[in-house]
Amino acid sequence: MHSEQASVGLRLAAWGGLLFLHFPILIIFLYAFNTEDAAFSFPPTGFTLKWFAVAFARTDVLDAIKLSLQVACLATLIALVLGTLASAALYRRSFFGKEAISLMLILPIALPGIITGIALLSAFKTLGMEPGVFTIVVGHATFCVVIVYNNVIARLRRTSHSLIEASMDLGADGWQTFRYIILPNLGSALLAGGMLAFALSFDEIIVTTFTAGHERTLPIWLLNQLSRPRDVPVTNVVAMLVMLVTMLPILGAYYLTRGGDSVAGSGK
């Protein structure tokens, strides 16, 4: 009896915590469909889809979405290449300084974003590089690499090395072993890492603020909208879009990796 009561209590506590965390998000979703007259009142008194048409008719919104998608795709691509290569190198070989290199790879995800942003801005200024799309991509790639690295190296640790040895014994060269043995085993880890990296890059704002210059990604556009109360309905629609674009890849990555122990990547 006591164990059943404890179980019910834990479930209620868990659902209460989830409601507390997601209630503000639900409010944003609700207000994205709100009528103009009730933009600042609760509960909403009407339902409309016109704000979606208004939002997607604005060139500043479309430009910000395009830039965020471009940056997220490029940062994810860089992270997939560098993160996979780094994990393969550190997994297969033991050498002096290996742990230090591993720490350096993981450090950007643990540092506060403002520290990373200031460091990147100082480095770009020292190199004489003006902030722009390239600097945003490099800034996002610094923490996206960690996401891919964590997922891939965790999958490599769970992959039996005997499969690689058997492939080589049967006459396969290094590329064939990678193509037919290693890559299929890494497929879901790479996909999950890429989806997480894309989601984190798409809604990143702190590092972007220091590296964007005059460019405006979607999160920066949303930040600027805080000083424009007349645009609240449009802002709610765009905020809902950002949440959907970031939430769906994270959920997909969770389902892809939920069967494996110690597959990391959600630390930021």
Side-chain angles (χ1 to χ4, degrees), residues 20-109:
F20 176 78
L21 290 172
H22 292 91
F23 182 74
I25 298 177
L26 295 176
I27 293 297
I28 293 294
F29 274 65
L30 187 62
Y31 271 86
F33 300 94
N34 197 13
T35 59
E36 182 178 6
D37 294 337
F40 296 97
S41 64
F42 187 86
T45 57
F47 179 90
T48 182
L49 295 174
K50 78 170 186 176
W51 300 119
F52 289 83
V54 172
F56 289 107
R58 290 179 51 165
T59 57
D60 57 335
V61 175
L62 296 178
D63 290 341
I65 293 174
K66 181 181 177 181
L67 179 59
S68 289
L69 289 174
Q70 179 184 358
V71 169
C73 289
L74 291 174
T76 301
L77 181 61
I78 294 172
L80 285 172
V81 175
L82 297 182
T84 303
L85 292 176
S87 59
L90 293 176
Y91 168 70
R92 292 197 60 181
R93 295 287 184 264
S94 295
F95 52 88
F96 176 76
K98 177 179 177 179
E99 296 302 324
I101 294 176
S102 299
L103 177 62
M104 294 295 290
L105 279 169
I106 298 174
L107 196 59
I109 205 74

Side-chain angles (χ1 to χ4, degrees), residues 41 80 82 101 105 117 127 129 139 173 207 222 224 226 256 262:
S41 64
L80 285 172
L82 297 182
I101 294 176
L105 279 169
L127 295 173
M129 299 173 60
D173 56 28
V207 173
L222 285 170
N224 292 336
L226 294 178
L256 285 171
S262 66

